[in-house]
Amino acid sequence: MRKRIILTVPLLFLATAICHAHSLTLKEADSIIIILLFVVIALIVVVVVGRRQHKISLRREEQLLRILNMLDEYRAMMADGILTLDEQEELLKRYQPEVKKAKVISIDERKAFYVKMDARVNKEKPFTDPDFNQQALADFMEVDLETFRRLVPRYENADRTLDYINSLRAEYAAKLLMEQSGLTLEDMAGKCGFRNTAAFLNAFKFAFGITPTDYLNSMNQMFKKKAQ
């Protein structure tokens, strides 16, 4: 580009000198110079486009040569019988581009799945099993773990899924407190799927902001006020 500019400047000076030598008017001289500028710009564009096309052609040739070399290597290995069938399949997988794409899941599908999941889990209460976790929830909804994470992205992380499960256990515990107030905390924890009382108390306080005992007392007081 620098060479073209260096060549263009003398060309313009030469054109100016010729115009003065032939006693052309200023308007005629300007017209000639403008035409020369357009010619120079057109030549520069042609050269730039030509170089770009040349680079693209070279890149394609390199890719084609790489593919041909891989095919030659593969044929050579096949001819020598170096690889077993399993090794051949692995080699082909390595050279073959990955074209498998995950199915796009819409927002409506995610919402419908979550509503269905929440309703089923609350109805059937599989969370009363202490081993009920993210994988178990996916199995319960009859989908693989990867699909579950894509359908419920908020619970993609296993710990967040466990928080959701523990919140369901805490809600179930709140219901049992009103129906079976004579249960001990240990019995309540076991019935709701918690492994121990400490886990039950933590989950309950996280869900409701108070302990089970305080919750039961507040509910009893509320019912007494309504009864009066």
Side-chain angles (χ1 to χ4, degrees):
M1 182 64 72
R2 188 180 298 172
K3 290 181 179 179
R4 296 191 194 100
I5 294 173
I6 293 173
L7 291 174
T8 303
V9 173
L11 183 61
L12 292 175
F13 278 116
L14 180 61
T16 304
I18 292 173
C19 290
H20 284 297
H22 288 78
S23 301
L24 298 177
T25 64
L26 183 62
K27 185 176 181 180
E28 291 173 336
D30 288 342
S31 299
I32 293 174
I33 292 172
I34 289 171
I35 292 171
L36 286 173
L37 281 173
F38 275 114
V39 170
V40 170
I41 291 171
L43 289 173
I44 292 173
V45 170
V46 169
V47 172
V48 170
V49 171
R51 284 193 172 183
R52 184 179 178 185
Q53 292 296 328
H54 181 65
K55 288 181 179 179
I56 293 173
S57 299
L58 286 177
R59 198 177 300 118
R60 287 177 180 172
E61 289 177 2
E62 289 175 358
Q63 291 175 348
L64 180 60
L65 184 61
R66 195 158 43 243
I67 293 171
L68 291 174
N69 287 336
M70 286 191 298
L71 287 174
D72 288 339
E73 291 175 6
Y74 179 77
R75 290 188 185 120
M77 286 186 288
M78 295 303 101
D80 295 338
I82 296 174
L83 302 179
T84 64
L85 290 176
D86 291 338
E87 290 172 334
Q88 293 175 29
E89 185 178 353
E90 184 63 29
L91 184 64
L92 287 173
K93 286 181 180 178
R94 195 185 313 152
Y95 287 144
Q96 186 177 7
E98 184 65 35
V99 294
K100 182 180 178 182
K101 292 183 179 179
K103 178 181 177 292
V104 177
I105 298 175
S106 66
I107 296 176
D108 290 338
E109 286 178 301
R110 290 175 180 173
K111 288 181 179 178
F113 180 83
Y114 180 80
V115 171
K116 178 183 176 181
M117 177 185 73
D118 200 57
R120 277 195 63 191
V121 170
N122 276 287
K123 181 181 179 181
E124 301 181 34
K125 299 176 177 52
F127 52 77
T128 54
D129 179 359
D131 293 326
F132 193 74
N133 54 17
Q134 185 186 62
Q135 180 64 63
L137 180 56
D139 294 340
F140 177 75
M141 294 303 298
E142 299 176 349
V143 295
D144 59 76
L145 189 57
E146 182 182 354
T147 303
F148 172 82
R149 288 171 175 168
R150 290 173 55 231
L151 283 166
V152 195
R154 74 176 78 175
Y155 299 140
E156 183 178 2
N157 184 277
D159 290 336
R160 291 200 65 184
T161 306
L162 188 59
D163 289 340
Y164 166 69
I165 294 170
N166 282 336
S167 70
L168 295 174
R169 289 169 173 156
E171 290 172 11
Y172 182 50
K175 181 181 177 182
L176 289 180
L177 280 171
M178 302 306 300
E179 296 175 350
Q180 306 176 29
S181 57
L183 291 174
T184 64
L185 290 179
E186 186 174 354
D187 292 337
M188 186 73 66
K191 276 183 172 290
C192 297
F194 293 102
R195 294 191 181 277
N196 51 61
T197 306
F200 165 52
L201 292 174
N202 288 335
F204 195 94
K205 194 168 183 180
F206 181 81
F208 297 100
I210 55 177
T211 65
T213 303
D214 292 337
Y215 175 85
L216 183 59
N217 290 335
S218 64
M219 294 301 293
N220 287 334
Q221 289 176 4
M222 183 180 69
F223 287 134
K224 284 180 182 178
K225 287 181 181 180
K226 286 185 177 180
Q228 290 175 354

